[in-house]
Amino acid sequence: MRSISPLKLKPSITRSRHLLLPFSFLLLFLLLLLYTVYNSLTSKTASLAYATSSPTLFLSLSTSANASISHDLRSLTLRPHVAGTPGAASTTSFVLSRLRSQGLPTFSRQYSPLLSFPSHSSLSLHHSNGSLIAPLSLSEPADPNAILLPPYHAYSPSGKTLAPAVYANLGREQDFQTLDGLGVRVNGCVVLVRKGGGYRGGVVARAAERGAKAVLIAGGSDGGVERGTVILGGPGDPLTPGWGAIGSVIQGSDVERLQVAAEEVRRRFPTIPSMPVAAVTAAEILRTLGGPPLPHKWKEGLVESEGGVGPGPALVNFTYSEEKRVAEIQDIFGMIRGREEPDRYIILGNHRDAWTYGAVDPHSGTATLLEIARRFGVMLQSGWRPRRTIILCSWDAEEFGMIGSTEWVEENLDNLHSKAVAYLNVDCAVQGVGFNAATTPQLDKLLIDITKKVKDPDVEGKTVYDTWLSANGGISIERLSRADSDFTGFLHHAGIPSLDMYYGNVEFAGYHTALDSFHWMETQGDPLFHRHLAIAEIWGLLAIRLADDVILPFDYQSYASQLEEHVHALRDFVDEKLSLESIHAAIKDLHSAANYAFTEGQKLELQHSSGDYATLRIRAMNDRLMLAERSFLQEEGLDGRHWFRHLLYSPPEDYESKLTFFTSIADAISRSKRYKESKKRFAICHQIWLVARAIRRASQVLRGEELFGG
Ligand SMILES: *[C@@H]1O[C@H](CO)[C@@H](O)[C@H](O)[C@H]1NC(C)=O
Ligand SMILES: *[C@@H]1O[C@H](CO)[C@@H](O)[C@H](O)[C@H]1NC(C)=O
Ligand SMILES: *[C@@H]1O[C@H](CO)[C@@H](O)[C@H](O)[C@H]1NC(C)=O
């Protein structure tokens, strides 16, 4: 954008007028001529490109798109490809070549984070005198030929344990309290749980806090064993917290790395080993347990439901050795450079690494991203260029803790801070039936509008919106306080408006197991690939609107309304004597600032083609809309967890917190349980003020110059 020049030009013309009057007429004539020629040329190309609007053009390219998605998904899922292993290379080159073949400029970025792999493990059952009862299998029944990397927990430490087992249901806080009530201590024991108690790293941490020696997490009854990371304290490479682990191991990367033994690094790993096990293996252990009988509610979902919770009397012999390795990973990008504002980014991302074949997780998303690239490729050829830049990202090492995306965000933080408009994430695009979305609230309205334009994949003649509206509970949009996919760095660290979406109301049974295969997708997940198609169209249209709209389609009125709901809900979590008035007042102010910005945006939109000065003012307006989200960041990060900086929507420190917004307040509430009354009130009160001030900052940003009297 070069709209600054006329402002600079004006005074110099005025100054030299008396000298250059005759020349000026000539110049003016020439300029006019040039302008006419230029105009006729550009309007011609413009009329070619925009004969149909870009959303319409995008939607019109759906012929046999489902076949193309299905074809890509099959290719992506031929082999296992865990990050940092040799299998990853072919998926990387597949995605790169598909992006290139659509005519998109591509680039890739290498990082070398610390990853974690299994090197040896064993499990057996013993009599209390130590003699062997039976060896137990740690392999995955659904992977009989052991084609995959064996099931394990990334970043579980090595360890050897011979100890009695205790069954702790799902391993939630309430389950350990139930055991307390039964007089059963897990101290010194191997804790056995069923999956479903929230983040697996959290389950392990709770058991470790109570002195357990190791944790075994049992999978579903379908023969699958759920792999996954147990990293603690946030995403990203443990050795380069806050900066990018740039470079290649092979070529020798020059980057500061913390020592693995450093306290800051050790805090990221559980203190006790853990392992996922098959349901049949868990049943063999359960069968040997004595002690108090299983509580009635704990029996559901168990293969074997007689017997006790333990501990013992039989002993479990569990050994695990981990190999930590600095390994190479690669993020891949496809770029569509914006015509008017190349330095404003709409970022679409999905990860590429998978624990197994990854048909759902993540390649339902990858195949969808490639479909968008295909359509954008066609549109580029027909002359389309978006107003702003669109970047398609394929992240590596998400499964280890969102490492590829986090390193990239950390490396580019300042640029993203001033230039990133929005981050649109899709991880598992399809894991079943039913549309689901989570956003920062200024994106709600845009998302809803777009679902009205996309055909429902399952009901003939309906839109995604129609079905979503008639679903249980109507339209509900989640918020993004979880830290379970690649939006984490963008939102929680960089404060960039973000969105995440998928099809599938319930977690699919094959999650992170050998059952996550093309076969499942083709026979059960999405046989006609129409759900993939719906996600591709919603995702692509979101990108087009964000990239092309003159005024950014951000709605801060819905942000204010959402915050109002939050503050009402917060009332149930804090002492009634604590005033929430400061937040109420700040939200009221945000409402009025949002109204003001909206009205101003509408006016500016009408002046859209009235010259460079209007262009500048539109740009300034859009910057306010883009930057308002950054106001919710706290520069120095949350107390004790500096990487997380979003005061409203970071993940709470307590994995089981019921309060999933106003994170700094949620943290203060859970920490202050240990405090005396007066200190407790002060700690929570302080966080309430911090949140109120952050909301005020957002209003100021939205108001722009009106703040100083117009
Ligand atoms: C250990 O205990 C089991 C069961 O009580 C018994 O069958 C076995 O003979 C014992 N072994 C030794 C070496 O004492
Ligand atoms: C436990 O397993 C390890 C590894 O397989 C083995 O070396 C050790 O002897 C076993 N302990 C007992 C008491 O059998
Ligand atoms: C694509 O959709 C059509 C119906 O619209 C269906 O007949 C076809 O089988 C689908 N293709 C694939 C690969 O699922």
Side-chain angles (χ1 to χ4, degrees):
M1 239 189 48
R2 290 286 160 263
S3 36
I4 295 185
S5 48
L7 296 178
K8 280 190 187 155
L9 249 157
K10 224 176 180 176
S12 71
I13 286 182
T14 328
R15 249 183 276 127
S16 47
R17 185 171 27 188
H18 59 288
L19 282 176
L20 297 172
L21 202 60
F23 281 117
S24 305
F25 278 113
L26 190 67
L27 200 75
L28 202 71
F29 175 72
L30 279 173
L31 275 173
L32 257 167
L33 194 75
L34 234 125
Y35 178 74
T36 324
V37 171
Y38 171 77
N39 226 20
S40 71
L41 276 174
T42 48
S43 66
K44 205 167 177 188
T45 48
S47 69
L48 273 179
Y50 297 108
T52 43
S53 75
S54 34
T56 311
L57 182 56
F58 180 83
L59 287 177
S60 73
L61 299 171
S62 63
T63 315
S64 62
N66 65 332
S68 152
I69 292 173
S70 154
H71 189 266
D72 280 346
L73 187 66
R74 188 191 295 274
S75 308
L76 286 160
T77 52
L78 290 175
R79 281 167 222 98
H81 43 280
V82 176
T85 67
S90 61
T91 321
T92 304
S93 56
F94 179 79
V95 172
L96 256 177
S97 78
R98 291 289 282 114
L99 290 175
R100 282 194 189 125
S101 70
Q102 311 305 344
L104 304 192
T106 59
F107 64 98
S108 66
R109 196 80 185 113
Q110 233 160 33
Y111 297 100
S112 299
L114 183 74
L115 300 185
S116 159
F117 299 96
S119 95
H120 178 80
S121 55
S122 70
L123 188 67
S124 51
L125 267 175
H126 298 254
H127 291 296
S128 46
N129 60 14
S131 71
L132 183 72
I133 301 175
L136 297 176
S137 168
L138 279 174
S139 60
E140 182 174 28
D143 176 31
N145 304 321
I147 291 163
L148 301 166
L149 197 63
Y152 77 111
H153 285 157
Y155 303 106
S156 158
S158 304
K160 286 187 171 58
T161 311
L162 181 68
V166 173
Y167 182 62
N169 196 30
L170 302 178
R172 299 163 302 181
E173 194 62 36
Q174 68 191 78
D175 297 318
F176 287 108
Q177 280 166 10
T178 303
L179 285 178
D180 287 344
L182 294 171
V184 173
R185 298 274 171 271
V186 304
N187 185 27
C189 296
V190 172
V191 167
L192 174 67
V193 300
R194 241 175 346 121
K195 73 171 212 174
Y199 178 50
R200 62 186 85 71
V203 171
V204 176
R206 283 193 283 281
E209 222 171 81
R210 291 172 167 79
K213 291 279 188 212
V215 177
L216 303 174
I217 302 183
S221 51
D222 47 16
V225 178
E226 182 186 303
R227 295 148 184 83
T229 184
V230 289
I231 201 162
L232 301 172
D237 174 29
L239 301 186
T240 61
W243 64 94
I246 51 175
S248 140
V249 198
I250 298 154
Q251 289 151 19
S253 70
D254 192 15
V255 67
E256 179 191 2
R257 285 201 176 80
L258 301 180
Q259 298 286 315
V260 177
E263 167 58 23
E264 202 181 343
V265 178
R266 275 191 294 138
R267 260 193 318 207
R268 302 287 306 279
F269 312 133
T271 52
I272 58 172
S274 65
M275 184 62 104
V277 298
V280 289
T281 303
E284 285 194 60
I285 300 173
L286 269 172
R287 204 173 296 143
T288 68
L289 295 185
L294 283 172
H296 188 66
K297 276 193 182 155
W298 288 20
K299 292 186 181 179
E300 119 203 9
L302 286 184
V303 179
E304 196 94 4
S305 62
E306 297 311 311
V309 297
L315 302 176
V316 167
N317 183 13
F318 170 55
T319 68
Y320 177 62
S321 37
E322 178 206 21
E323 188 201 344
K324 282 199 179 75
R325 188 164 75 224
V326 171
E328 220 161 88
I329 63 167
Q330 216 172 141
D331 293 341
I332 298 173
F333 306 86
M335 291 273 279
I336 298 162
R337 194 169 282 276
R339 189 196 294 269
E340 279 108 332
E341 301 185 74
D343 61 342
R344 287 296 177 268
Y345 309 144
I346 316 303
I347 306 168
L348 281 65
N350 148 260
H351 71 93
R352 195 179 64 253
D353 65 308
W355 282 128
T356 66
Y357 304 99
V360 171
D361 183 3
H363 295 313
S364 55
T366 314
T368 303
L369 190 76
L370 293 177
E371 166 61 13
I372 292 175
R374 183 186 71 80
R375 294 194 197 190
F376 283 172
V378 177
M379 289 168 71
L380 284 169
Q381 275 183 356
S382 79
W384 171 72
R385 279 275 296 281
R387 180 185 180 92
R388 308 182 181 88
T389 292
I390 298 176
I391 310 178
L392 308 180
C393 315
S394 167
W395 310 117
D396 206 347
E398 187 270 354
E399 297 294 6
F400 287 79
M402 286 72 77
I403 293 181
S405 57
T406 300
E407 298 312 301
W408 192 71
V409 168
E410 289 175 345
E411 186 190 359
N412 297 288
L413 190 60
D414 288 357
N415 259 325
L416 292 174
H417 199 282
S418 54
K419 300 175 185 172
V421 172
Y423 176 68
L424 311 173
N425 190 66
V426 171
D427 186 328
C428 306
V430 182
Q431 58 170 344
V433 191
F435 180 68
N436 287 275
T439 63
T440 46
Q442 75 275 62
L443 286 165
D444 289 2
K445 192 168 171 299
L446 175 67
L447 174 68
I448 291 171
D449 281 356
I450 283 172
T451 58
K452 292 177 182 167
K453 308 242 172 346
V454 174
K455 278 190 215 145
D456 188 272
D458 297 296
V459 191
E460 191 71 37
K462 297 268 186 205
T463 63
V464 169
Y465 173 81
D466 296 332
T467 319
W468 195 15
L469 188 66
S470 61
N472 262 346
I475 291 200
S476 90
I477 299 179
E478 251 187 286
R479 299 305 164 207
L480 285 166
S481 295
R482 2 179 211 106
D484 58 0
S485 193
D486 293 303
F487 53 79
T488 295
F490 290 91
L491 178 62
H492 305 148
H493 193 58
I496 295 163
S498 297
L499 173 146
D500 183 54
M501 59 182 171
Y502 55 96
Y503 259 89
N505 291 329
V506 286
E507 187 184 288
F508 116 97
Y511 177 72
H512 288 185
T513 75
L515 302 161
D516 186 2
S517 64
F518 185 78
H519 176 75
W520 184 85
M521 189 60 84
E522 195 184 35
T523 54
Q524 295 180 55
D526 194 12
L528 295 176
F529 290 86
H530 286 183
R531 292 172 201 148
H532 283 78
L533 204 56
I535 292 285
E537 294 189 342
I538 298 168
W539 206 6
L541 289 182
L542 281 167
I544 291 174
R545 287 284 311 276
L546 286 162
D548 271 348
D549 277 17
V550 173
I551 300 291
L552 287 175
F554 281 172
D555 174 22
Y556 281 92
Q557 286 150 323
S558 46
Y559 217 127
S561 305
Q562 176 64 80
L563 292 181
E564 215 158 75
E565 278 179 36
H566 286 343
V567 82
H568 285 297
L570 177 65
R571 196 67 271 180
D572 294 340
F573 291 86
V574 296
D575 188 314
E576 59 186 32
K577 278 180 253 149
L578 266 176
S579 168
L580 298 176
E581 196 38 48
S582 57
I583 302 189
H584 274 299
I587 293 172
K588 211 168 150 216
D589 189 46
L590 181 63
H591 261 300
S592 95
N595 278 332
Y596 174 80
F598 177 72
T599 318
E600 207 189 332
Q602 279 191 318
K603 278 189 214 145
L604 282 169
E605 187 149 14
L606 295 175
Q607 303 165 17
H608 166 40
S609 35
S610 59
D612 288 341
Y613 185 56
T615 309
L616 253 188
R617 290 185 52 203
I618 286 170
R619 167 100 167 175
M621 177 78 234
N622 283 333
D623 278 356
R624 280 149 59 186
L625 293 169
M626 172 180 81
L627 293 173
E629 183 76 35
R630 317 282 196 270
S631 302
F632 302 127
L633 295 182
Q634 175 154 277
E635 191 63 28
E636 68 275 24
L638 302 184
D639 271 358
R641 304 190 293 145
H642 303 309
W643 190 89
F644 289 105
R645 306 198 300 169
H646 203 291
L647 286 167
L648 310 184
Y649 296 122
S650 288
E653 183 174 45
D654 173 0
Y655 292 108
E656 291 190 289
S657 174
K658 299 260 185 312
L659 186 56
T660 55
F661 44 82
F662 296 152
T663 314
S664 63
I665 301 178
D667 284 359
I669 291 172
S670 57
R671 285 178 184 193
S672 65
K673 282 183 185 132
R674 304 185 290 267
Y675 300 164
K676 284 207 198 84
E677 204 47 44
S678 62
K679 186 178 171 194
K680 182 178 186 167
R681 195 169 316 152
F682 176 80
I684 298 173
C685 212
H686 176 59
Q687 297 302 332
I688 289 173
W689 278 111
L690 283 178
V691 167
R693 287 199 290 272
I695 297 172
R696 294 257 180 202
R697 288 199 298 270
S699 307
Q700 290 184 339
V701 171
L702 287 175
R703 282 211 170 87
E705 274 45 67
E706 191 228 18
L707 198 66
F708 309 114

